[in-house]
């Protein structure tokens, strides 16, 4: 199996672009099912989660082709309503096809999305909302069968602002009978992007980005041509790499305003982050301040998807920092790998206590999950000597052209 090899200790410099957003494109690809037409989405990242979602769309009967960085979905014909194969089990995001298929066909038989390395990933909030919208759900050992004679618009309040549950309700509501008011909705930028995309397809949605979204069911949707926004977590990962290794770089990006708490935390560490005409200028002295306490929260709080990367950066900060991971119980798996590189981290339940050390040392480590793998790239840039990262398939789920991108930032990185 291929491994990433990084020779660390160099300051970062240069200029890099930011790929399209994984967590926006996945629900948008599901949304394509809602129209019997062609849909083109430009700036689509070539990552394995996108390839997996495309495979599921093709399993349902869509034709999907690439035109440079645009993906073109022909959703005129749906031939199946069953996603019970391994692929659906493997990819957590497959559940997002349920809302779209209920809107299009009024039925879907789908495997329970597997838990993944960061947690059990329940879907109770999705199913509770579907049942309220006149969906009957029968559950077998491995699969569930969702059917409805007619989706009805309803008043729904989520027990937790779940991103996936918010997306699934929106996808089911756009063609439902009547009005759906969704309260305690997730406010992530990816929700806003999905709603802008659906409006381009003819949907009637207001309130996205707030905790109350109103969707007025329409009779049909049509095709669209849309450019997906940049990936704010890939952007944050670049900021973390520059912060940890030191140096300065220009990041070409159009989603600067979505970093919320991330910029505040990195500026507390001593990193300079300035808006430029084409994105962001990021500069780091290398020696960073600790951060007393970081709690991961739903947007606009500090994103859980930036937790592992930030932990890596804080391993060399001056002093002790504390992270509380509130979203996913399994998101500290990379601590063991960072310890192999000399980090001093103690985990107590949801809390990670990171005591800054003078230096990290290159080591042979393994990616345990997507963002933890990205954290190891950052630690490899920070460490003295050579680091190899195995199981990079986790990282390739969400990061496009890793070697090319980090080489542009003066990182000595190769695929071996
Ligand atoms: C989305 O996952 C993202 N994935 C995740 O990014 C991200 O970490 C997460 O939102 C939070 O921002 C995609 O968009 C594809 P949730 P999702 O439903 O929708 C609990 C990455 O690294 N919950 O908001 O699965 C759940 O257990 C990935 O790019 C229920 O209890 O997240 C968790 O504690 C990782 N019941 C919390 O809510 C449910 O029915 C947040 O989950 C659903 C969720």
């Amino acid at each position: 199996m291929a491994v990433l090899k990084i020779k660390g200790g160099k300051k970062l410099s240069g200029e890099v672009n930011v790929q399209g957003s994984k967590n926006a494109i996945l629900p948008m690809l599901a949304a394509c099912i809602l129209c019997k037409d062609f849909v083109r989405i430009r700036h689509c990242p070539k990552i394995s989660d996108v390839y997996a979602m495309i495979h599921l769309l093709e399993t349902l009967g869509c034709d999907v082709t690439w035109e440079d960085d645009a993906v073109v979905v022909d959703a005129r014909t749906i031939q199946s309503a069953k996603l019970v194969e391994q692929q659906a089990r493997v990819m957590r995001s497959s559940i997002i096809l349920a809302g779209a298929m209920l809107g299009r066909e009024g039925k879907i038989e789908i495997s329970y999305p597997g838990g993944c390395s960061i947690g059990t990933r329940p879907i109770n909030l999705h199913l509770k909302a579907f049942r309220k919208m006149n969906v009957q759900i029968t559950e077998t050992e491995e699969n569930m069968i969702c059917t409805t004679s007619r989706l009805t618009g309803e008043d729904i309040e989520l027990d937790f602002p779940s991103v996936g549950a918010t997306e699934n309700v929106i996808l089911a509501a756009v063609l439902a009978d009547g009005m759906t008011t969704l309260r305690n909705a997730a406010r992530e930028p990816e929700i806003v992007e999905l709603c802008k995309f659906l409006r381009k397809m003819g949907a009637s949605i207001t309130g996205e980005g707030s905790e109350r979204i109103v969707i007025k069911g329409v009779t049909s949707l049509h095709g669209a041509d849309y450019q997906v926004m940049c990936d704010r977590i890939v952007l944050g990962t670049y900021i973390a790499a520059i912060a940890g290794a030191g140096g300065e770089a220009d990041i070409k990006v159009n989603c600067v305003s979505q970093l919320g708490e991330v910029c505040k935390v990195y500026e507390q560490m001593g990193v300079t982050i300035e808006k430029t005409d084409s994105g962001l200028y990021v500069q780091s002295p290398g020696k960073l301040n600790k951060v007393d306490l970081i709690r991961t929260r739903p947007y606009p709080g500090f994103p859980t998807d930036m937790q592992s990367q930030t932990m890596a950066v804080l391993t060399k900060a001056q002093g002790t920092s504390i992270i509380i991971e509130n979203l996913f119980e399994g998101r500290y798996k990379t601590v063991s790998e960072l310890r192999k590189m000399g980090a001093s981290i103690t985990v107590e339940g949801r809390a990670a206590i990171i005591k800054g050390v003078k230096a990290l040392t290159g080591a042979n480590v393994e990616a345990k999950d997507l963002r933890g793998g990205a954290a190891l790239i950052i630690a490899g840039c920070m460490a003295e000597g050579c680091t190899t990262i195995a199981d990079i398939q986790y990282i390739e789920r969400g990061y496009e052209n890793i070697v090319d991108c980090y080489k542009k930032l003066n990182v000595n990185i190769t695929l071996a």
Side-chain angles (χ1 to χ4, degrees), residues 22-24 26-27 49 92-93 118 120-127 160-165 167 186 188 190 232-233 298 304-305 326-329 331 350 370-371 397:
K22 167 179 88 78
N23 291 351
L26 293 174
D49 267 14
R92 153 89 191 157
S93 320
I118 63 172
T120 49
R121 313 298 293 275
I123 57 169
N124 57 309
L125 302 179
H126 300 238
L127 304 185
F160 181 88
S162 152
V163 170
E167 290 166 345
E188 273 70 2
E190 292 76 23
R232 64 189 169 102
I233 304 301
T304 174
D305 294 350
N326 291 307
L327 277 293
F328 293 112
E329 70 277 14
R331 220 162 196 177
R350 292 275 179 159
L370 165 58
R371 305 302 175 184
R397 283 189 43 215

Side-chain angles (χ1 to χ4, degrees), residues 128 132 155-160 181-184 211:
K128 184 177 172 186
K132 192 142 189 215
D155 267 2
I156 296 170
E157 175 144 10
L158 294 177
D159 300 336
F160 181 88
T181 300
L182 178 58
R183 290 183 174 74
N184 200 23
E211 58 83 41

Side-chain angles (χ1 to χ4, degrees), residues 313-335:
V313 175
L314 291 169
T315 59
K316 278 182 68 184
Q318 298 177 86
T320 299
S321 310
I322 297 176
I323 291 177
I324 309 280
E325 170 53 63
N326 291 307
L327 277 293
F328 293 112
E329 70 277 14
R331 220 162 196 177
Y332 284 146
K333 287 197 169 61
T334 306
V335 168

